[in-house]
Amino acid sequence: MRGKVIQEPGYVIHRRPWRETSLQVDVFTLNYGRVDLIARGASTSKGPLKAQLQPFQPLLLDWVGRGDLKTLTQADVRQAPVLGQSQALFSGFYLNELLQRILPAADPYPLLFAAYLDAMAELAAAAELEPVLRRFERSLALALGYDFAWDLATDSGAQVQSGRFYGYHPQQGIIERPGADVRVKKLCGDALLALAANDYSNIEARRSAKRVMRALVDYLLQGRPLHSRQLFIQPRAVK
Protein backbone atom coordinates (compact mmCIF):
# COMPACT_ATOMS: atom_id res chain seq x y z
CA MET A 1 0.00 0.00 0.00
CA ARG A 2 1.50 3.32 -1.07
CA GLY A 3 2.94 5.69 1.53
CA LYS A 4 2.04 3.47 4.45
CA VAL A 5 3.11 4.53 7.96
CA ILE A 6 2.55 2.27 10.96
CA GLN A 7 2.62 2.97 14.72
CA GLU A 8 4.00 6.50 14.49
CA PRO A 9 4.07 8.31 17.87
CA GLY A 10 2.09 11.53 17.72
CA TYR A 11 -0.38 13.97 19.25
CA VAL A 12 -3.43 15.74 17.87
CA ILE A 13 -2.75 19.49 17.83
CA HIS A 14 -5.85 20.61 15.90
CA ARG A 15 -8.93 19.11 14.30
CA ARG A 16 -11.85 20.43 12.31
CA PRO A 17 -14.82 18.99 10.34
CA TRP A 18 -14.13 17.66 6.85
CA ARG A 19 -17.08 17.04 4.59
CA GLU A 20 -20.11 15.51 6.28
CA THR A 21 -18.82 12.71 8.48
CA SER A 22 -15.05 13.08 8.68
CA LEU A 23 -12.39 15.14 10.45
CA GLN A 24 -9.25 16.83 9.18
CA VAL A 25 -6.67 16.33 11.91
CA ASP A 26 -3.31 18.04 12.33
CA VAL A 27 -0.93 15.81 14.25
CA PHE A 28 2.60 16.42 15.55
CA THR A 29 4.68 13.28 15.18
CA LEU A 30 8.14 12.09 16.12
CA ASN A 31 9.53 11.19 12.69
CA TYR A 32 7.32 13.15 10.27
CA GLY A 33 6.74 16.45 12.07
CA ARG A 34 3.38 18.08 11.47
CA VAL A 35 1.09 15.94 9.30
CA ASP A 36 -2.46 16.58 8.02
CA LEU A 37 -4.68 13.52 8.16
CA ILE A 38 -8.24 12.76 7.11
CA ALA A 39 -10.08 10.59 9.64
CA ARG A 40 -12.99 9.23 7.64
CA GLY A 41 -16.22 8.80 9.56
CA ALA A 42 -14.65 10.17 12.74
CA SER A 43 -17.26 12.90 13.29
CA THR A 44 -20.15 10.43 13.56
CA SER A 45 -21.34 9.17 16.94
CA LYS A 46 -20.31 5.63 16.03
CA GLY A 47 -16.99 6.57 14.45
CA PRO A 48 -14.27 4.34 15.97
CA LEU A 49 -11.68 7.14 15.84
CA LYS A 50 -13.72 9.94 17.39
CA ALA A 51 -12.83 9.23 21.03
CA GLN A 52 -9.13 8.69 20.33
CA LEU A 53 -8.50 11.92 18.41
CA GLN A 54 -8.32 14.25 21.42
CA PRO A 55 -5.65 16.85 22.25
CA PHE A 56 -2.93 15.91 24.75
CA GLN A 57 -3.57 12.20 24.21
CA PRO A 58 -0.43 10.28 23.14
CA LEU A 59 -1.20 8.10 20.14
CA LEU A 60 0.32 5.51 17.85
CA LEU A 61 -0.91 6.41 14.37
CA ASP A 62 -1.25 4.51 11.10
CA TRP A 63 -1.87 6.33 7.82
CA VAL A 64 -1.56 5.96 4.05
CA GLY A 65 -1.06 8.41 1.21
CA ARG A 66 1.60 10.55 -0.43
CA GLY A 67 -0.16 13.89 -0.94
CA ASP A 68 -0.60 16.78 1.48
CA LEU A 69 -3.62 15.05 3.02
CA LYS A 70 -3.04 11.48 4.17
CA THR A 71 -5.73 9.05 5.30
CA LEU A 72 -5.68 7.95 8.93
CA THR A 73 -6.36 4.22 9.24
CA GLN A 74 -5.82 3.57 12.94
CA ALA A 75 -5.09 5.39 16.20
CA ASP A 76 -4.01 3.49 19.30
CA VAL A 77 -4.17 5.34 22.61
CA ARG A 78 -1.27 5.27 25.04
CA GLN A 79 -1.46 6.10 28.74
CA ALA A 80 -0.52 9.61 29.84
CA PRO A 81 -1.03 12.03 32.74
CA VAL A 82 -4.13 14.21 32.44
CA LEU A 83 -4.06 18.00 32.16
CA GLY A 84 -6.61 18.66 34.87
CA GLN A 85 -6.33 22.33 35.83
CA SER A 86 -7.77 24.99 33.54
CA GLN A 87 -4.51 26.93 33.31
CA ALA A 88 -2.63 23.76 32.37
CA LEU A 89 -5.22 23.05 29.68
CA PHE A 90 -4.96 26.60 28.35
CA SER A 91 -1.19 26.25 28.27
CA GLY A 92 -1.49 22.98 26.35
CA PHE A 93 -3.80 24.61 23.80
CA TYR A 94 -1.26 27.43 23.44
CA LEU A 95 1.59 25.00 22.72
CA ASN A 96 -0.58 23.11 20.23
CA GLU A 97 -1.50 26.29 18.38
CA LEU A 98 2.15 27.32 18.18
CA LEU A 99 2.95 24.02 16.46
CA GLN A 100 -0.10 24.10 14.21
CA ARG A 101 0.43 27.67 12.99
CA ILE A 102 4.21 27.94 12.86
CA LEU A 103 5.72 24.56 11.99
CA PRO A 104 6.06 23.76 8.28
CA ALA A 105 4.39 20.52 7.27
CA ALA A 106 6.23 17.22 6.89
CA ASP A 107 9.56 18.29 8.43
CA PRO A 108 10.75 16.12 11.34
CA TYR A 109 11.71 17.84 14.60
CA PRO A 110 12.60 15.01 17.00
CA LEU A 111 14.16 17.29 19.62
CA LEU A 112 11.10 19.54 19.58
CA PHE A 113 8.90 16.45 19.91
CA ALA A 114 10.88 15.46 23.00
CA ALA A 115 10.45 19.00 24.37
CA TYR A 116 6.70 18.70 23.78
CA LEU A 117 6.59 15.44 25.74
CA ASP A 118 8.46 17.10 28.60
CA ALA A 119 6.10 20.10 28.55
CA MET A 120 3.01 17.87 28.64
CA ALA A 121 4.41 15.95 31.62
CA GLU A 122 5.25 19.16 33.49
CA LEU A 123 1.83 20.69 32.81
CA ALA A 124 0.12 17.52 34.02
CA ALA A 125 2.21 17.62 37.19
CA ALA A 126 0.88 21.12 37.94
CA ALA A 127 4.32 22.62 37.59
CA GLU A 128 4.75 26.38 37.50
CA LEU A 129 3.42 27.23 34.07
CA GLU A 130 5.52 30.17 32.94
CA PRO A 131 8.87 28.35 32.95
CA VAL A 132 7.26 25.44 31.07
CA LEU A 133 5.94 27.75 28.35
CA ARG A 134 9.16 29.73 28.05
CA ARG A 135 11.33 26.62 27.79
CA PHE A 136 9.10 25.18 25.07
CA GLU A 137 9.17 28.46 23.15
CA ARG A 138 12.96 28.32 23.30
CA SER A 139 12.88 24.74 21.97
CA LEU A 140 10.68 25.94 19.10
CA ALA A 141 13.12 28.77 18.40
CA LEU A 142 16.02 26.31 18.33
CA ALA A 143 14.18 23.95 15.97
CA LEU A 144 13.46 26.77 13.51
CA GLY A 145 16.92 28.32 13.62
CA TYR A 146 16.17 31.30 15.89
CA ASP A 147 17.99 30.21 19.03
CA PHE A 148 20.03 32.72 21.00
CA ALA A 149 21.96 33.01 24.26
CA TRP A 150 20.44 35.04 27.07
CA ASP A 151 23.88 36.13 28.27
CA LEU A 152 25.51 37.17 24.97
CA ALA A 153 25.01 40.43 23.06
CA THR A 154 25.35 39.44 19.40
CA ASP A 155 25.98 42.96 18.04
CA SER A 156 29.07 43.47 20.20
CA GLY A 157 30.08 39.90 21.00
CA ALA A 158 30.28 40.86 24.67
CA GLN A 159 28.86 38.98 27.62
CA VAL A 160 25.76 40.48 29.21
CA GLN A 161 26.67 42.51 32.28
CA SER A 162 24.81 42.96 35.55
CA GLY A 163 23.43 46.48 35.98
CA ARG A 164 23.16 47.20 32.25
CA PHE A 165 20.20 47.13 29.88
CA TYR A 166 19.79 45.41 26.53
CA GLY A 167 17.38 44.84 23.66
CA TYR A 168 16.15 41.85 21.69
CA HIS A 169 15.58 41.32 17.96
CA PRO A 170 14.22 38.00 16.61
CA GLN A 171 16.86 37.82 13.88
CA GLN A 172 19.76 38.82 16.12
CA GLY A 173 18.99 37.75 19.67
CA ILE A 174 20.11 39.87 22.62
CA ILE A 175 21.73 43.12 21.51
CA GLU A 176 23.68 45.74 23.41
CA ARG A 177 22.80 48.76 21.25
CA PRO A 178 19.19 48.39 20.06
CA GLY A 179 18.16 50.66 17.20
CA ALA A 180 14.84 52.32 16.50
CA ASP A 181 13.48 49.18 14.79
CA VAL A 182 13.93 47.04 17.91
CA ARG A 183 10.64 46.50 19.75
CA VAL A 184 11.99 44.96 22.95
CA LYS A 185 14.27 47.27 24.93
CA LYS A 186 15.32 47.89 28.52
CA LEU A 187 15.95 44.27 29.36
CA CYS A 188 17.78 44.16 32.68
CA GLY A 189 21.14 42.42 32.51
CA ASP A 190 20.54 40.77 35.88
CA ALA A 191 17.31 39.22 34.57
CA LEU A 192 19.05 37.97 31.44
CA LEU A 193 21.81 36.38 33.50
CA ALA A 194 19.20 34.65 35.66
CA LEU A 195 17.50 33.29 32.52
CA ALA A 196 20.86 32.07 31.22
CA ALA A 197 21.09 30.04 34.44
CA ASN A 198 17.51 28.74 33.86
CA ASP A 199 16.38 30.63 36.98
CA TYR A 200 12.77 31.81 36.68
CA SER A 201 12.31 32.55 40.39
CA ASN A 202 12.74 36.31 39.95
CA ILE A 203 9.71 38.28 38.73
CA GLU A 204 11.86 40.51 36.52
CA ALA A 205 13.40 37.47 34.84
CA ARG A 206 9.92 36.08 34.10
CA ARG A 207 8.75 39.41 32.75
CA SER A 208 11.81 39.71 30.51
CA ALA A 209 11.43 36.15 29.20
CA LYS A 210 7.77 36.76 28.41
CA ARG A 211 8.52 39.99 26.51
CA VAL A 212 11.29 38.37 24.48
CA MET A 213 9.43 35.18 23.61
CA ARG A 214 6.25 37.04 22.71
CA ALA A 215 8.23 39.16 20.26
CA LEU A 216 9.77 36.02 18.75
CA VAL A 217 6.43 34.21 18.46
CA ASP A 218 4.82 37.27 16.84
CA TYR A 219 7.70 37.41 14.36
CA LEU A 220 7.29 33.72 13.50
CA LEU A 221 3.53 34.12 13.10
CA GLN A 222 4.01 36.92 10.54
CA GLY A 223 0.74 38.62 11.43
CA ARG A 224 -1.36 35.49 11.85
CA PRO A 225 -3.55 35.47 14.99
CA LEU A 226 -2.97 33.19 17.94
CA HIS A 227 -6.43 32.52 19.35
CA SER A 228 -5.26 30.61 22.44
CA ARG A 229 -3.86 33.82 23.92
CA GLN A 230 -7.43 34.93 24.62
CA LEU A 231 -7.77 32.05 27.09
CA PHE A 232 -5.28 33.74 29.38
CA ILE A 233 -7.04 37.09 29.60
CA GLN A 234 -8.29 36.57 33.12
CA PRO A 235 -6.98 37.05 36.68
CA ARG A 236 -3.72 35.30 37.45
CA ALA A 237 -3.07 34.63 33.77
CA VAL A 238 0.38 33.42 32.81
CA LYS A 239 0.48 34.18 29.08
Side-chain angles (χ1 to χ4, degrees), residues 15 17 31 40 42 49 54 58 60 75 81 127 130 135 175-176 198 210 216 229 231:
R15 70 180 202 176
N31 297 298
R40 300 188 185 277
L49 294 172
Q54 302 294 331
L60 293 174
E130 285 197 61
R135 283 193 288 266
I175 48 181
E176 189 171 0
N198 199 30
K210 183 175 179 178
L216 174 59
R229 280 177 174 163
L231 298 172

Side-chain angles (χ1 to χ4, degrees), residues 89-229:
L89 281 171
F90 297 163
S91 299
F93 284 125
Y94 170 71
L95 299 189
N96 282 357
E97 194 174 15
L98 285 183
L99 295 173
Q100 193 255 335
R101 291 192 173 273
I102 293 176
L103 278 191
D107 286 344
Y109 295 96
L111 294 180
L112 183 60
F113 189 85
Y116 183 84
L117 294 181
D118 290 342
M120 289 297 106
E122 290 179 281
L123 292 176
E128 287 192 81
L129 301 182
E130 285 197 61
V132 177
L133 299 182
R134 302 294 89 84
R135 283 193 288 266
F136 184 80
E137 290 162 342
R138 286 296 305 274
S139 296
L140 179 63
L142 174 62
L144 297 176
Y146 289 92
D147 195 29
F148 63 93
W150 289 111
D151 57 354
L152 178 66
T154 59
D155 57 336
S156 65
Q159 294 292 312
V160 166
Q161 299 295 315
S162 175
R164 300 189 62 178
F165 290 89
Y166 298 83
Y168 169 78
H169 191 283
Q171 293 180 310
Q172 296 175 269
I174 302 300
I175 48 181
E176 189 171 0
R177 295 180 291 273
D181 62 328
V182 175
R183 287 176 48 195
V184 182
K185 299 179 180 179
K186 296 185 178 180
L187 295 169
C188 174
D190 296 273
L192 296 177
L193 292 172
L195 292 169
N198 199 30
D199 179 5
Y200 287 83
S201 60
N202 180 273
I203 187 64
E204 185 59 36
R206 292 187 181 211
R207 186 179 294 117
S208 297
K210 183 175 179 178
R211 291 177 62 203
V212 167
M213 299 317 298
R214 181 160 190 139
L216 174 59
V217 167
D218 287 346
Y219 175 81
L220 295 173
L221 286 167
Q222 294 292 297
R224 289 167 292 177
L226 202 61
H227 302 298
S228 56
R229 280 177 174 163

